[in-house]
């Protein structure tokens, strides 16, 4: 589905991002995997059969200068890049009453500003050369329904808005969509409070747990030409929980 495609994936070294990398490679794409965790990126590279099609680049998505430097690297080494998956994210599992200013900044810097920086620089590159491309952003059911961690909820709601605005701003060259999963079995999920996990499950119509591979399937569909009529849309991957 992704033959001859080149995809940037952020937060690529763990959980959902790692599965997105694997599925993109399986579908014939080459991938530039970015993550703050250099060691985990190296492990991902080691575990990949065809190492020529997986490029790794350690960076902090919230650091504007690092992101700008990355796009200089992309321009020189991967000029034909056509897809971006904004996936990196953190969840502090805190009540808003316990948030310090530094925590608020950290969540919004990574979960929102990181997505803005990547969208801006990717958008500039493709629009400048009038090339077609695709962006998929990682939101969450918490961005629609609210979260027990209000700042995380804010960050994921912001991504719904960023998606619609970028879909308009980057038309007709770049399609921009977002996925909004419920709990997905990753290291991040294990930090969600148990009472909240129970609440999520009690509202679901399907009781099969959502796995990182399931989210990756939808992301690959959205990256592919099979989704050519979709832009500005949110894809709920939520087992029918919180219908809207
Ligand atoms: N797991 C869930 O239940 C769930 C549900 C809905 C949405 N999401 C979203 O999916 C995305 C991936 O989450 P996950 O569950 O795979 O979590 P994860 O913790 O397994 O993976 C997140 C990855 O992002 C990387 N990362 C964190 N900060 C970074 C930074 N500043 N710069 C670059 N990379 C950074 C981490 O090193 C890690 O590899 C997140 O945006 C998360 O909010 C997760």
């Amino acid at each position: 589905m992704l033959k001859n495609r080149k995809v940037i994936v952020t937060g690529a070294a763990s959980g959902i991002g790692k599965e997105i990398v694997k599925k993109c490679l399986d579908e014939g794409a080459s991938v530039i995997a970015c993550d703050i965790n250099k060691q985990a990126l190296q492990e991902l590279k080691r575990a990949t059969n065809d190492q020529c099609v997986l490029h790794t680049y350690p960076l902090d998505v919230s650091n504007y200068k690092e992101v700008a430097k990355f796009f200089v690297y992309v321009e020189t080494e991967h000029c034909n890049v056509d897809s971006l998956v904004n996936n990196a994210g953190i969840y502090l599992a805190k009540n808003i009453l316990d948030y310090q200013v530094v925590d608020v900044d950290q969540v919004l810097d990574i979960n929102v500003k990181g997505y803005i920086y990547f969208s801006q620089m990717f958008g500039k590159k493709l629009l400048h050369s009038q090339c077609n491309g695709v962006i998929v952003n990682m939101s969450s059911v918490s961005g629609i329904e609210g979260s027990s961690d209000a700042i995380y909820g804010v960050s994921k709601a912001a991504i719904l808005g960023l998606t619609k605005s970028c879909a308009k701003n980057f038309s007709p060259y770049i399609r921009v969509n977002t996925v909004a999963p419920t709990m997905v079995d990753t290291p991040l999920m294990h930090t969600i409070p148990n009472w909240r996990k129970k609440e999520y499950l009690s509202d679901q119509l399907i009781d099969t747990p959502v796995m990182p591979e399931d989210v990756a399937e939808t992301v690959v569909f959205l990256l592919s030409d099979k989704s050519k009529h979709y832009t500005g849309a949110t894809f709920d991957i939520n087992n029918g929980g919180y219908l809207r």
Side-chain angles (χ1 to χ4, degrees):
M1 257 203 287
L2 301 178
K3 207 158 174 276
N4 298 324
R5 301 282 300 274
K6 192 166 271 189
V7 186
I8 300 168
V9 181
T10 72
S14 172
I16 297 171
K18 193 152 102 177
E19 287 307 319
I20 293 171
V21 171
K22 287 187 195 162
K23 277 228 184 315
C24 285
L25 294 173
D26 286 350
E27 292 294 336
S30 49
V31 174
I32 311 164
C34 306
D35 203 287
I36 200 166
N37 188 336
K38 197 173 174 178
Q39 196 186 333
L41 275 182
Q42 283 166 350
E43 281 159 24
L44 178 67
K45 178 100 178 166
R46 266 197 298 275
T48 307
N49 293 334
D50 187 353
Q51 302 204 346
C52 307
V53 287
L54 175 62
H55 311 273
T56 52
Y57 193 104
L59 58 60
D60 177 352
V61 296
S62 68
N63 183 319
Y64 186 83
K65 282 188 183 156
E66 284 186 28
V67 179
K69 200 171 153 203
F70 168 70
F71 274 91
V72 172
Y73 156 78
V74 168
E75 195 58 51
T76 350
E77 305 281 331
H78 304 286
C79 198
N80 56 343
V81 73
D82 53 51
S83 305
L84 165 66
V85 182
N86 274 317
N87 166 74
I90 57 164
Y91 169 74
L92 299 185
K94 283 190 180 185
N95 189 292
I96 188 171
L97 302 178
D98 301 323
Y99 256 91
Q100 303 296 313
V101 171
V102 64
D103 304 326
V104 176
D105 287 345
Q106 192 194 11
V107 173
L108 298 184
D109 284 353
I110 296 171
N111 292 12
V112 182
K113 287 191 195 167
Y115 286 49
I116 294 172
Y117 300 157
F118 267 79
S119 301
Q120 183 196 49
M121 292 183 214
F122 180 82
K124 234 179 228 174
K125 176 181 166 31
L126 267 67
L127 263 57
H128 179 71
S129 50
Q130 301 195 334
C131 288
N132 290 322
V134 187
I135 299 177
V136 180
N137 291 322
M138 192 58 60
S139 181
S140 161
V141 69
S142 340
I144 300 165
E145 184 52 32
S147 173
S148 54
D149 177 330
I151 314 306
Y152 180 78
V154 165
S155 75
K156 291 299 170 185
I159 298 312
L160 304 174
L162 179 72
T163 299
K164 290 182 198 174
S165 302
C166 286
K168 288 184 176 183
N169 293 174
F170 298 163
S171 160
Y173 295 107
I174 308 177
R175 293 189 296 109
V176 189
N177 292 295
T178 185
V179 292
T182 184
M183 288 186 302
V184 186
D185 193 355
T186 70
L188 183 149
M189 186 193 92
H190 299 299
T191 62
I192 299 174
N194 279 333
W195 64 266
R196 182 58 179 141
K197 283 190 196 157
K198 280 190 195 139
E199 226 176 49
Y200 272 124
L201 294 176
S202 68
D203 205 51
Q204 295 187 359
L205 307 178
I206 300 168
D207 61 9
T208 316
V210 179
M211 303 305 287
E213 304 87 282
D214 302 321
V215 180
E217 287 283 1
T218 303
V219 170
V220 164
F221 164 72
L222 290 172
L223 291 173
S224 79
D225 287 344
K226 290 195 175 187
S227 62
K228 61 179 181 286
H229 295 297
Y230 297 107
T231 193
T234 301
F235 286 71
D236 297 340
I237 312 174
N238 61 14
N239 278 340
Y242 304 112
L243 295 175
R244 61 191 167 103

